[in-house]
Amino acid sequence: MKNLKVLAKEYELEIIDEKISYLETLEAAKGHIREYYTSILLDLSSYIIKINIDKDINREKLKGFLDKLSEEIRTIKSAQWEKNYIQIVVKEGDPKKTAEVLKEILNRTVDFLEEEQTNSACAFCGDEDAEIKATSVIKNESEIDFICDSCHEKRVKELEEEKERIAKMRENYILGFIGAFIGASIGGVLWVIMSIFGYQAEIAVIGIIIGGMSGYTFFSKKMGITGSVLFVISSEIVMMCARFAEYTFKYQKFIKNEGERINFIESAKELVDYINYGPEAAKEIFFSPYFIIAFLTVIGVGVFTAKSASRYSKGIYSVKRD
């Protein structure tokens, strides 16, 4: 948000900072930069710049300019024109330099548009005479566009149709759970590999969370509150299995260092017996501070995303026009 405030002060833009839930936010700056409708939206660690153009601009020259801009500024992830607006996605890079990089991109782009004597029209239809306002849509993937009233009505209609489609879509809990387990298992494998090479394995909980959520939504097509619960359960199971595998390898290594030969399966069986024999082993494996933090992190993510998941499963969104 700091960089958006810097840009807002530099170009006299309006700051937007709205939040409906953990994942449904809109952090942006919008307004005019030398008569060109412009918005800069913060999307996780990337900035999405949109500048309206008209129908008559030479698209080949525009493409050449954007290609050159991308080559010279390495933090640009993509630069292209869509309908009647330019969209440039910039990754944050060095936080201390991000604001200056964004300024350079904005200044060079607006300079180019002025040289081409391009007007700033409706981002969708390209109408230059219609009244143009900013339409902000807050959902899991928020957006902001400067469009005319007609295009605004069409966009709202599209959102309503999408809402109906998502609401009618059936969430498959069984496939979702299987998908979450498979996705989280990728992070679980990373957990074991990191432990083998002596790294702090609990960091891999990030992979378990991302894999679990992605796997659930891929297989079930959407995630509601029940899906959030199933995601947490599957991820915790994977995490406990990964932890057990981590200590099985450690136990196997310990036995081999004692001069005995033992395979992974035998090590696992002996470790189970060891856990059953006394609570100290279970405490060391499953109740260490870092493991508890990782365990609670998964639950926390499930709780924080439950509201967003519920709204998304119903296709709920928020629209503001000003």
Side-chain angles (χ1 to χ4, degrees):
M1 197 65 183
K2 180 181 177 181
N3 290 318
L4 290 177
K5 290 179 179 179
V6 171
L7 296 175
K9 184 178 180 180
E10 176 76 15
Y11 300 106
E12 298 182 352
L13 305 175
E14 178 188 349
I15 285 287
I16 304 173
D17 186 8
E18 298 187 21
K19 183 175 183 179
I20 296 177
S21 67
Y22 182 68
L23 294 178
E24 296 168 297
T25 62
L26 180 62
E27 296 180 4
K30 68 179 178 71
H32 291 83
I33 297 181
R34 285 184 264 163
E35 304 304 319
Y36 290 93
Y37 292 107
T38 305
S39 65
I40 307 106
L41 184 147
L42 177 59
D43 181 29
L44 296 178
S45 60
S46 297
Y47 292 86
I48 301 175
I49 297 172
K50 290 183 179 180
I51 303 176
N52 288 23
I53 54 177
D54 60 27
K55 295 178 180 178
D56 299 326
I57 189 172
N58 187 316
R59 304 282 166 154
E60 286 300 317
K61 288 185 70 174
L62 176 59
K63 183 179 183 303
F65 166 76
L66 293 175
D67 288 345
K68 183 180 180 181
L69 193 67
S70 298
E71 289 176 6
E72 295 178 356
I73 301 177
R74 295 298 182 180
T75 52
I76 293 179
K77 295 168 68 175
S78 65
Q80 57 193 3
W81 55 267
E82 296 184 20
K83 298 178 181 177
N84 293 286
Y85 65 90
I86 296 169
Q87 177 169 293
I88 303 172
V89 181
V90 187
K91 60 183 179 182
E92 188 166 35
D94 186 347
K96 296 180 180 179
K97 299 179 180 179
T98 299
E100 294 303 317
V101 170
L102 292 171
K103 286 181 188 179
E104 181 183 356
I105 292 170
L106 289 167
N107 290 335
R108 289 179 62 177
T109 303
V110 172
D111 286 344
F112 170 80
L113 296 177
E114 286 184 335
E115 289 173 6
E116 294 298 310
Q117 298 182 337
T118 302
N119 296 318
S120 200
C122 170
F124 290 178
C125 70
D127 190 340
E128 297 180 38
D129 299 319
E131 183 180 10
I132 298 172
K133 296 181 180 179
T135 293
S136 306
V137 181
I138 306 177
K139 52 192 182 77
N140 278 13
E141 295 180 357
S142 296
E143 59 192 59
I144 179 169
D145 295 286
F146 280 96
I147 53 180
C148 65
D149 291 338
S150 177
C151 289
H152 169 77
E153 291 174 4
K154 290 179 182 178
R155 182 63 185 128
V156 172
K157 184 179 179 181
E158 290 173 355
L159 289 167
E160 280 298 311
E161 291 174 351
E162 183 181 4
K163 177 181 176 181
E164 292 177 8
R165 180 186 63 80
I166 293 175
K168 291 178 181 178
M169 189 185 300
R170 186 177 178 182
E171 185 175 353
N172 193 316
Y173 299 124
I174 296 175
L175 284 179
F177 182 82
I178 294 171
F181 188 84
I182 294 172
S185 294
I186 298 173
V189 171
L190 178 62
W191 179 302
V192 176
I193 292 173
M194 289 180 68
S195 68
I196 290 174
F197 286 96
Y199 294 102
Q200 194 69 48
E202 288 83 358
I203 296 174
V205 70
I206 298 171
I208 291 175
I209 291 170
I210 295 173
M213 294 187 73
S214 301
Y216 188 93
T217 52
F218 180 79
F219 278 80
S220 70
K221 304 306 178 186
K222 68 176 184 178
M223 177 189 284
I225 293 179
T226 302
S228 295
V229 174
L230 293 174
F231 145 71
V232 170
I233 293 172
S234 62
S235 297
E236 300 291 25
I237 291 172
V238 168
M239 194 164 65
M240 294 184 73
C241 290
R243 186 67 161 184
F244 182 79
E246 173 192 347
Y247 271 79
T248 299
F249 277 115
K250 288 181 178 179
Y251 182 75
Q252 183 183 18
K253 183 179 180 180
F254 171 77
I255 295 298
K256 286 183 176 180
N257 289 339
E258 293 294 314
E260 298 182 31
R261 296 184 61 183
I262 188 172
N263 59 39
F264 182 82
I265 302 298
E266 292 171 337
S267 298
K269 289 179 180 179
E270 290 191 16
L271 186 58
V272 170
D273 292 337
Y274 187 47
I275 292 172
N276 292 332
Y277 180 75
E280 289 301 318
K283 183 178 179 180
E284 179 183 348
I285 296 172
F286 298 113
F287 292 93
S288 69
Y290 287 119
F291 185 78
I292 291 174
I293 291 172
F295 194 89
L296 293 177
T297 298
V298 175
I299 295 175
V301 170
V303 171
F304 278 118
T305 58
K307 182 179 178 181
S308 297
S310 175
R311 288 172 57 84
Y312 176 75
S313 67
K314 299 172 185 175
I316 297 174
Y317 62 91
S318 175
V319 175
K320 184 178 179 181
R321 182 161 173 80
D322 54 17

